[in-house]
Amino acid sequence: MSPRRHIMLFGGSFNPIHCGHIALARQVLRENLADEVWLMVSPQNPLKPQDGLLDERLRYEIACKALQGESGIIASDFEFALPRPSYTWNTLCALGHTWPDSDFSLLIGADNWTHFDRWAHTERILSHHRLYVYPRPGYPLDAPLPPGVSYIDAPLLPYSSTEVRRRIHSGLDIRHWVPDSILQDVI
């Protein structure tokens, strides 16, 4: 019997994907926390405004292009076929049915952890899946965590999609913010 595959889901709008997303996924693999990291491109986050959001298919295609050559890091459009808005619990259930021989965990930012209690079915998520929290500027990682939740040992990265969009709008250079392979796709 082959061992179960462990997939860590890193969900987000990826509007656009940036170097911080990729660095964090690489860190997960370096720490052997998962066999693969799936960047789950969300078509509609129920807790975020949709204004300024690029078309979901375009965000997915740009993410795929940015991840070319990355071993073990995959862009996923799995949520595109699910009911909207995209609730993580529904995604996890659908993934479990589609890949019953895989275990799924979640990677979220410390900013999302502060309002995790607003997510749908948080108790079910925590009772069935491991959750890893990574550092974000302005959100200290010093509070005790419940069972099944761990902080990931990752550097505090200065990247954000909001800042990439702001820099593009202001005509500032984004070369070191996004992979070279997608530079022309996002400006």
Side-chain angles (χ1 to χ4, degrees):
M1 185 171 166
S2 63
R4 293 178 64 81
R5 181 172 63 152
H6 179 198
I7 299 163
M8 189 172 297
L9 303 177
F10 183 7
S13 299
F14 301 103
N15 189 38
I17 187 172
H18 55 66
C19 294
H21 294 129
I22 298 168
L24 191 54
R26 287 177 183 156
Q27 181 70 18
V28 166
L29 296 174
R30 257 193 308 279
E31 290 189 29
N32 293 313
L33 297 175
D35 299 312
E36 294 177 348
V37 178
W38 291 3
L39 275 63
M40 186 69 59
V41 179
S42 176
Q44 182 182 359
N45 180 331
L47 297 177
K48 287 189 176 180
Q50 301 301 303
D51 55 314
L53 191 62
L54 293 173
D55 175 74
E56 64 197 46
R57 185 60 47 196
L58 179 59
R59 289 182 285 121
Y60 169 70
E61 289 169 5
I62 291 171
C64 287
K65 189 173 181 182
L67 296 175
Q68 287 177 350
E70 292 288 339
S71 180
I73 307 172
I74 299 157
S76 174
D77 63 354
F78 186 82
E79 285 189 340
F80 292 9
L82 298 179
R84 297 183 189 191
S86 303
Y87 293 106
T88 300
W89 175 248
N90 296 342
T91 300
L92 288 165
C93 290
L95 286 165
H97 290 296
T98 306
W99 288 282
D101 294 330
S102 295
D103 293 319
F104 294 92
S105 61
L106 295 174
L107 178 63
I108 68 169
D111 54 331
N112 281 313
W113 177 246
T114 63
H115 62 265
F116 184 73
D117 61 334
R118 292 178 45 208
W119 290 27
H121 308 289
T122 56
E123 305 83 21
R124 290 181 184 169
I125 292 170
L126 292 176
S127 67
H128 292 86
H129 303 277
R130 285 211 48 86
L131 191 127
Y132 295 88
V133 180
Y134 64 88
R136 290 294 306 264
Y139 299 90
L141 297 179
D142 53 7
L145 297 173
V149 182
S150 305
Y151 292 127
I152 183 172
D153 183 22
L156 187 61
L157 300 169
Y159 303 99
S160 78
S161 295
T162 302
E163 180 61 17
V164 171
R165 291 190 308 274
R166 187 196 70 73
R167 293 178 71 84
I168 291 168
H169 182 73
S170 299
L172 299 172
D173 186 14
I174 59 166
R175 277 179 291 168
H176 308 295
W177 289 77
V178 300
D180 291 341
S181 61
I182 65 165
L183 196 55
Q184 294 305 313
D185 297 306
V186 297
I187 54 175

